[in-house]
Amino acid sequence: MSEPILTVANQLTMLRMAMVPLLVLLALSREFTWALVVFVVAGLTDALDGYIARHGNQSTTLGAMLDPIADKMLVGSTYAVMTWSSVVTCPMPIWLTVTLLFRDTMLVVGVLLVSLTSGVRVFPPSRLGKISTFLNIGTGAVALALNAAGHCPGAVQWLYVATLCVLIASTVQYLYLATERAPRRS
């Protein structure tokens, strides 16, 4: 018997994906407070779908694949708008956004290539990967909040540097784990 597709956990993940265009439109319309509300609700669905999947016996292969994609869509879109849009008063640094987008693209392409060559494999998130995701989401929320407030303190650069460091560290760890878990040829 195949696993169910439309579990509550998977529906929450798809809802998070559906919130991304609304978030982008709100931010581009300078409705940063509402964009922040959508972002926070989307972030809460991330925590809720994981909880329901683990504790409600709703873990599925589809959910394990969609959840990180939904996170990447949410964070990547937010970072792109907060970096390159002319409507922001407190932009995120280009170096952080480019690093995040490059890393996310590299991971998605890597997982796709592994799945095509070795069969579908799920890569469970590491603790450092979870910390990076949490920090990426928190940093996006801070950027939205600063723009909603119309305030851009210089100290926010430290948050961006910390986010970059954890992002790079988690990427290196994922690369290491991927090579360690890669199937060996005889």
Side-chain angles (χ1 to χ4, degrees):
M1 178 178 250
S2 64
E3 30 178 57
I5 292 176
L6 290 179
T7 62
V8 172
N10 288 350
Q11 289 177 39
L12 286 169
T13 300
M14 290 184 256
L15 175 63
R16 184 163 71 255
M17 294 169 95
M19 288 182 189
V20 172
L22 176 60
L23 171 91
V24 169
L25 289 172
L26 288 167
L28 290 175
S29 300
R30 295 184 177 166
E31 296 289 341
F32 295 111
T33 302
W34 284 110
L36 178 60
V37 168
V38 170
F39 188 87
V40 168
V41 169
L44 291 174
T45 67
D46 186 25
L48 188 57
D49 72 22
Y51 180 83
I52 290 171
R54 283 186 303 279
H55 299 288
N57 198 26
Q58 294 188 16
S59 294
T60 64
T61 303
L62 177 64
M65 293 170 68
L66 283 182
D67 187 66
I69 291 170
D71 291 342
K72 287 167 185 25
M73 288 173 59
L74 177 67
V75 173
S77 296
T78 301
Y79 278 40
V81 168
M82 300 311 292
T83 300
W84 289 296
S85 173
S86 61
V87 302
V88 297
T89 56
C90 186
M92 294 182 78
I94 292 171
W95 45 263
L96 177 58
T97 301
V98 167
T99 303
L100 175 105
L101 294 174
F102 176 77
R103 190 279 307 250
D104 286 354
T105 301
M106 184 178 70
L107 289 177
V108 169
V109 169
V111 168
L112 180 63
L113 289 174
V114 167
S115 294
L116 289 173
T117 59
S118 304
V120 174
R121 291 185 36 207
V122 175
F123 295 89
S126 67
R127 181 171 297 208
L128 185 58
K130 288 181 179 185
I131 291 169
S132 180
T133 298
F134 178 79
L135 189 55
N136 289 330
I137 290 172
T139 300
V142 167
L144 286 164
L146 290 174
N147 279 277
H151 183 61
C152 196
V156 74
Q157 292 300 318
W158 290 106
L159 174 62
Y160 296 147
V161 169
T163 302
L164 179 71
C165 290
V166 174
L167 180 66
I168 291 170
S170 71
T171 303
V172 169
Q173 183 187 43
Y174 276 128
L175 291 172
Y176 172 77
L177 292 174
T179 58
E180 285 295 305
R181 294 179 185 157
R184 306 281 185 228
R185 295 186 187 236
S186 313

